[in-house]
Every structure is written in structure tokens, then in C-alpha cells.
Amino acid sequence: MKFGTKAIHAGVEPDPSTGAIMTPIFQTSTYVQRSPGDHKGYEYSRTHNPTRTALQNNLAALENGKHGLCFSSGLGAIDAIIKLLNPGDEVISTNDLYGGSYRIFTKVFERYGIKFHFISMEDPRTIETYITPHTKLIWAETPTNPMMNIIDIEEIGKVAKKHDILFGVDNTFATPFLQNPLDLGADIVMHSVTKYLGGHSDVVMGALVVNDDQLQEKLAFIQNACGATPGPQDCFLVLRGIKTLHLRMERHCENGAAIARFLKSHPKIDKVYWPGFEDHPNHDIAKKQMRDFGGMISFTIKRNKIEDAHTVLENLHYFSLAESLGGVESLSGHPASMTHASIPKEEREKVGLVDSLIRLSVGIEDIEDLKNDLDQALAKV
Ligand SMILES: *Cc1c(COP(=O)(O)O)cnc(C)c1O
């Protein structure tokens, strides 16, 4: 099955009792047993729910994986991965990563005796200098957020394999439409389903996809034991959203490319971060591991003043100023004070995340309206 066909059909069967073509919302907490232990595979909805099962199977198919697991948020999914570890274990993570991931690593799991190293992974060889006998997980995000660096998943996969270390990739920005980390050597793919997979800014959810049966068992145990599972209504909405993932992504990429080029030629703009540019430092890796370049773009304004960033953000109409990304509507954000506020300023600036940086999630509106919107807001600085 090709991608668009999988998005619509994988994991989804007409309901056997009625023929309903859409997976029903199984709004139930429990399931009747004929005799103790004699049931139809469903006992309690924290453990299993048929709407969630359909979604988990669909997500697994999209990532070319064997098993999917859904969580009540992206951070709930990351939480489950770190709970595979023990006190004393060490994690090597991308340094330019989602602020909430940085927060759960440093503010929650460091207290439980897990040590995190945040490093640039643009040269995968540097990872080896941080590996100790205690290293149990390599955690990568690519494209990185918000600097849009690209990390070579296949090369890191080789390092992880060589040292027998679990390798997880946050694939939220790229989506399975653009990139499949399991095919490139990752052990776990993680998604904030909240973003492109849901696609309509109406659900918060997370997911993991793995191939290994034992890893699936351990994660499913944590999923059930810790209980961060999504409800069936949300699973239904995401199943519905995914049916147009391929169409939405095509337009996100097309609009993203047009906006990136528009900004690059704009006299008030300093830098534009988008992996589709030939002069992007990791453009070749992006071309190798991604099918297109996505709809996420960051840029800085020439005067590099926080006031100018505020002026632009206050005057945009279609790029609503809001946290999150990946919905059909365009969004704008100010990472230094929003998504990345939990990362100390010195840490932020080390990776180029300056106060004037604006991040765009380019939606699927008509491109002329989006360009005009940016143009009029930039005219005010
Ligand atoms: C949003 C996001 C998360 C966290 O997901 P939630 O669904 O908000 O918990 C993790 N990683 C990335 C890259 C994200 O954009």
C-alpha cells in the first residue's frame, strides 16, 4: 500500500456489527466478560479500546512499523520512553529541541537520577565522545525546533547500533509523510499527534511506533501502568484527520517553500531557517532522508530587536499568534518567550535562538493571502 492509501485504509475495518465504514467511537470504560477472563480482547479502556486500536495500527502502518501506542499527549509518550530507564542511566539528546522535552528531562527525570547530555548532533561522531557504559538512550529531533537543523538519522542509528543503545526520534515536525526514522535505523519514533497528524488543532495526543516486540511489550506495560492514554473521541478525531494527511502535507510543503523564498528576498529579514534552501548547512542530509522540506520556517529580523518581533506578531492576521503547529491554519510564534521560555537564555542563544526569532507554521490557506499578510506586518517595523 502507498502512503495515501495507508492514511485512509490502514488499521481501519468496517465495523463488523453494523458495516459502519468509519471506526465507531467506542465510548466505554469497560467490556462485559462471559465468564471471568473470557472476553473479546478488551477488558478496560485504559488498557485497550477499539477506537484507539484502530488508530495505533494506522500510525504503525504510516511509520512502516509493527506496533503503535497512543498517549494522552506527546509529552506523555516521551514520559513512557524515559520510564524504560533506571536511576544512573544516561541519555544523549539533541540540544536544540522542543522546550517541553527539555523541561521533562531536566526538571522531572534528573530528580530520579537520570543524567542528560544536550549536544549538537550535526556531526554524529561527537556523540561517541559522550557515550559511557551508562548510556541507554540517544534522543534526536529533526528538523530541530525552532532552528530547523537537520540531523542525519541513519548515521546516528549506526552509532546507536554499534554501542547497543536505544535510539528514539521525535518525528513531529517531519511527519511520516516526509520521513520514516524506523527505516533509517531508529528503534522508536515519537509523535506529538497534536500537530500535523491531528492536523486541525482540536486534539492533544502523543504516539510511539516501534518494530521490536519486546520493546512494544515494555512500552505497553508503561502505557497501561502509568495511564496516560487518550480517550476514544480524540482517537476518532485523529483517525479522521489522518485521512487527509498526505494532501495537507503536500500543500504545507508547497506553501512553506513559497513563504521561505518570499522571506529570504524580503529587505527587512535577516536570516531564514528552512532546510529546502541549497545553502542550508544540512540541505544534503535533508534531501537524503526527507521527501520534501515541510511547512515550518523560522526567521530573524534585520534590526534583531525584540520590539520588532512583537510588532510583526501583533500585526499578522492569518498567522495567528499561538503555541503549537501543524494545523490547517497558519500560526506564528515567538520561541524565546513561548515554546522555549523554559530553556535558559544563555542556552537558547548558544543555538541561535535570539529574541527576534519568529517561527511560522505555514498552513494550507491560499499562498497570496499568506504572503500579503507577512508583507503588511513587516511593513510596520
Ligand atoms: C508539541 C511537541 C511535543 C509535545 O507534544 P504535546 O502533544 O504538546 O505533549 C514534543 N515534540 C515536539 C517537536 C513538539 O512540537
Side-chain angles (χ1 to χ4, degrees):
M1 246 192 279
K2 299 265 198 243
F3 192 88
T5 313
K6 279 193 213 169
I8 292 165
H9 293 285
V12 180
E13 295 292 337
D15 176 47
S17 63
T18 61
I21 193 162
M22 286 300 136
T23 308
I25 303 168
F26 284 91
Q27 194 71 50
T28 187
S29 60
T30 191
Y31 307 82
V32 175
Q33 309 193 5
R34 269 168 41 92
S35 168
D38 178 5
H39 53 74
K40 298 177 175 166
Y42 293 92
E43 294 164 272
Y44 187 64
S45 279
R46 174 168 20 78
T47 326
H48 297 293
N49 174 284
T51 318
R52 195 175 97 209
T53 303
L55 175 59
Q56 292 183 156
N57 292 340
N58 181 266
L59 288 169
L62 292 181
E63 280 292 8
N64 300 331
K66 205 165 155 194
H67 306 286
L69 300 111
C70 289
F71 293 84
S72 52
S73 69
L75 285 173
I78 293 176
D79 177 72
I81 297 172
I82 307 299
K83 284 174 177 159
L84 294 166
L85 310 181
N86 292 303
D89 287 350
E90 297 183 18
V91 178
I92 302 173
S93 165
T94 324
N95 59 354
D96 172 22
L97 87 164
Y98 179 68
S101 306
Y102 182 82
R103 184 176 56 200
I104 193 173
F105 291 167
T106 57
K107 297 276 162 62
V108 178
F109 284 110
E110 274 184 0
R111 289 198 292 117
Y112 291 86
I114 294 167
K115 191 169 168 193
F116 294 86
H117 302 273
F118 297 96
I119 68 165
S120 162
M121 292 189 182
E122 279 174 76
D123 180 357
R125 282 169 303 186
T126 52
I127 295 174
E128 292 204 291
T129 63
Y130 288 85
I131 293 176
T132 76
H134 303 291
T135 309
K136 293 291 153 61
L137 175 70
I138 296 173
W139 183 252
E141 207 179 293
T142 181
T144 65
N145 178 14
M147 301 313 298
M148 308 305 297
N149 292 314
I150 304 294
I151 291 168
D152 193 324
I153 299 174
E154 201 169 8
E155 287 303 314
I156 296 177
K158 285 182 196 157
V159 175
K161 203 108 303 136
K162 180 170 151 203
H163 296 272
D164 198 21
I165 298 168
L166 202 61
F167 175 31
V169 175
D170 182 337
N171 204 28
T172 302
F173 267 38
T175 82
F177 180 77
L178 297 181
Q179 153 182 305
N180 298 113
L182 295 179
D183 293 346
L184 300 168
D187 301 300
I188 307 178
V189 183
M190 173 263 158
H191 281 284
S192 170
V193 173
T194 314
K195 315 296 168 50
Y196 286 105
L197 293 173
H200 296 74
S201 307
D202 49 11
V203 174
V204 172
M205 195 189 290
L208 302 177
V209 180
V210 301
N211 271 320
D212 185 81
D213 296 342
Q214 280 181 339
L215 187 55
Q216 189 274 342
E217 262 175 49
K218 286 185 197 162
L219 288 166
F221 177 82
I222 294 167
Q223 183 192 33
N224 182 51
C226 300
T229 49
Q233 295 257 4
D234 284 354
C235 292
F236 172 86
L237 283 170
V238 173
L239 275 168
R240 180 182 167 123
I242 285 176
K243 290 186 197 298
T244 54
L245 178 64
H246 49 305
L247 302 179
R248 288 187 281 110
M249 286 311 295
E250 276 171 15
R251 182 66 85 87
H252 281 298
C253 291
E254 192 184 312
N255 281 357
I259 294 294
R261 295 201 177 97
F262 167 78
L263 289 171
K264 197 167 194 177
S265 64
H266 198 286
K268 292 202 174 143
I269 300 296
D270 184 20
K271 295 199 172 78
V272 183
Y273 299 96
W274 179 67
F277 288 132
E278 283 187 7
D279 61 358
H280 181 286
N282 324 117
H283 178 68
D284 289 344
I285 306 167
K287 266 201 347 209
K288 184 180 75 162
Q289 72 186 17
M290 300 172 75
R291 297 181 190 97
D292 204 334
F293 306 109
M296 296 301 299
I297 297 166
S298 296
F299 65 93
T300 58
I301 302 165
K302 264 196 185 135
R303 293 207 312 166
N304 203 16
K305 292 246 159 66
I306 192 163
E307 300 79 40
D308 285 355
H310 283 192
T311 303
V312 170
L313 291 164
E314 285 161 14
N315 285 287
L316 286 167
H317 299 309
Y318 298 126
F319 287 88
S320 306
L321 176 61
E323 304 256 6
S324 202
L325 60 109
V328 289
E329 65 288 311
S330 294
L331 296 181
S332 57
H334 187 238
S337 58
M338 295 167 70
T339 45
H340 291 64
S342 53
I343 300 178
K345 190 175 161 83
E346 318 81 73
E347 291 294 315
R348 285 202 308 258
E349 298 203 334
K350 266 191 227 162
V351 299
L353 203 167
V354 296
D355 280 351
S356 83
L357 186 93
I358 290 176
R359 191 189 79 180
L360 300 178
S361 169
V362 182
I364 63 171
E365 299 95 335
D366 285 292
I367 189 65
E368 287 310 315
D369 290 328
L370 296 182
K371 278 192 204 163
N372 291 342
D373 193 25
L374 283 162
D375 208 28
Q376 63 79 29
L378 284 164
K380 302 230 162 52
V381 304

Coordinates of all heavy atoms in Angstrom, one line a residue, residues 73-75 78 98 101 141 145 170 172-173 190 192 194-195 204-205 325, ligand 1:
S73 N -0.7 12.7 25.4 CA -0.1 13.9 24.8 C 1.3 13.4 24.3 O 1.7 12.3 24.7 CB 0.1 15.0 25.9 OG 1.1 14.6 26.8
G74 N 2.0 14.3 23.6 CA 3.3 14.0 23.1 C 4.2 13.8 24.3 O 5.1 12.9 24.3
L75 N 4.1 14.6 25.3 CA 5.0 14.5 26.5 C 4.6 13.2 27.2 O 5.5 12.6 27.8 CB 4.9 15.8 27.3 CG 5.6 17.0 26.8 CD1 5.4 18.2 27.6 CD2 7.1 16.7 26.7
I78 N 6.8 10.7 25.5 CA 8.2 10.8 25.9 C 8.4 10.3 27.3 O 9.4 9.6 27.6 CB 8.6 12.3 25.8 CG1 8.6 12.7 24.3 CG2 10.0 12.5 26.4 CD1 9.0 14.2 24.0
Y98 N 12.5 20.6 21.4 CA 11.2 21.1 22.0 C 11.4 21.4 23.5 O 11.9 20.6 24.2 CB 10.1 20.0 21.8 CG 8.8 20.4 22.3 CD1 8.1 21.5 21.7 CD2 8.2 19.8 23.4 CE1 6.8 21.9 22.2 CE2 7.0 20.2 23.9 CZ 6.3 21.2 23.3 OH 5.1 21.6 23.8
S101 N 10.2 19.0 26.1 CA 11.0 17.8 26.2 C 12.2 18.1 27.1 O 12.6 17.4 28.0 CB 11.6 17.3 24.9 OG 10.5 17.2 24.0
E141 N 15.8 15.0 17.6 CA 14.7 15.7 17.0 C 15.2 16.2 15.7 O 16.2 16.9 15.7 CB 14.3 16.8 17.9 CG 12.8 17.2 17.9 CD 12.5 18.3 18.9 OE1 12.6 18.0 20.1 OE2 12.2 19.4 18.5
N145 N 13.8 22.2 16.5 CA 12.8 23.2 16.8 C 13.4 24.2 17.7 O 13.8 23.8 18.8 CB 11.6 22.4 17.5 CG 10.5 23.3 17.9 OD1 10.4 24.5 17.5 ND2 9.6 22.8 18.8
D170 N 12.1 12.0 17.7 CA 10.9 12.8 17.7 C 10.6 13.3 16.2 O 11.3 14.1 15.7 CB 11.1 14.0 18.6 CG 9.8 14.9 18.8 OD1 8.9 14.8 17.8 OD2 9.7 15.6 19.8
T172 N 7.8 14.6 15.0 CA 6.7 15.5 15.0 C 6.7 16.5 13.8 O 5.7 16.7 13.1 CB 6.6 16.3 16.3 OG1 6.5 15.4 17.4 CG2 5.4 17.2 16.3
F173 N 7.9 17.2 13.6 CA 8.0 18.2 12.6 C 7.9 17.6 11.2 O 7.3 18.2 10.3 CB 9.3 19.0 12.7 CG 9.2 20.2 13.5 CD1 8.4 20.2 14.7 CD2 9.9 21.3 13.2 CE1 8.3 21.3 15.5 CE2 9.8 22.5 14.0 CZ 9.0 22.5 15.1
M190 N 8.6 8.9 17.8 CA 7.7 9.5 18.7 C 7.0 10.7 17.9 O 7.6 11.3 17.1 CB 8.4 10.1 19.9 CG 7.6 10.9 20.8 SD 7.8 12.7 20.5 CE 6.4 13.4 21.2
S192 N 4.2 14.1 18.5 CA 3.1 14.8 19.1 C 2.0 14.8 18.1 O 2.1 15.6 17.1 CB 3.6 16.3 19.4 OG 2.4 17.0 19.8
T194 N -0.8 15.9 18.3 CA -1.4 17.2 18.4 C -1.2 18.0 17.2 O -2.0 18.9 16.8 CB -0.8 18.0 19.6 OG1 -0.7 17.1 20.7 CG2 -1.5 19.2 20.0
K195 N 0.0 17.8 16.5 CA 0.4 18.7 15.5 C -0.1 18.3 14.1 O -1.3 18.3 13.9 CB 1.9 18.8 15.5 CG 2.5 19.0 16.9 CD 2.1 20.3 17.6 CE 2.4 20.4 19.1 NZ 3.7 20.1 19.5
V204 N -5.1 17.1 21.7 CA -3.8 16.9 22.2 C -3.6 15.4 22.4 O -4.4 14.7 23.0 CB -3.6 17.6 23.6 CG1 -2.3 17.2 24.2 CG2 -3.8 19.1 23.4
M205 N -2.5 14.9 21.7 CA -2.2 13.4 21.8 C -0.8 13.1 21.4 O -0.1 13.9 20.7 CB -3.2 12.7 20.8 CG -3.2 11.2 21.1 SD -4.1 10.2 19.8 CE -5.7 10.8 20.1
L325 N 1.6 24.0 16.3 CA 1.9 24.0 14.9 C 1.2 22.8 14.2 O 0.6 22.0 14.8 CB 3.5 23.8 14.7 CG 4.0 22.4 15.3 CD1 4.4 21.5 14.2 CD2 5.2 22.7 16.2
Ligands
LIG1 C1 4.4 19.7 20.7 C2 5.6 18.9 20.7 C3 5.9 18.0 21.7 C4 5.0 17.7 22.8 O1 3.7 17.2 22.4 P1 2.4 17.6 23.2 O2 1.4 16.8 22.4 O3 2.2 19.0 23.3 O4 2.6 17.0 24.6 C5 7.0 17.2 21.5 N1 7.9 17.4 20.5 C6 7.7 18.3 19.5 C7 8.6 18.5 18.4 C8 6.5 19.1 19.6 O5 6.3 20.1 18.7

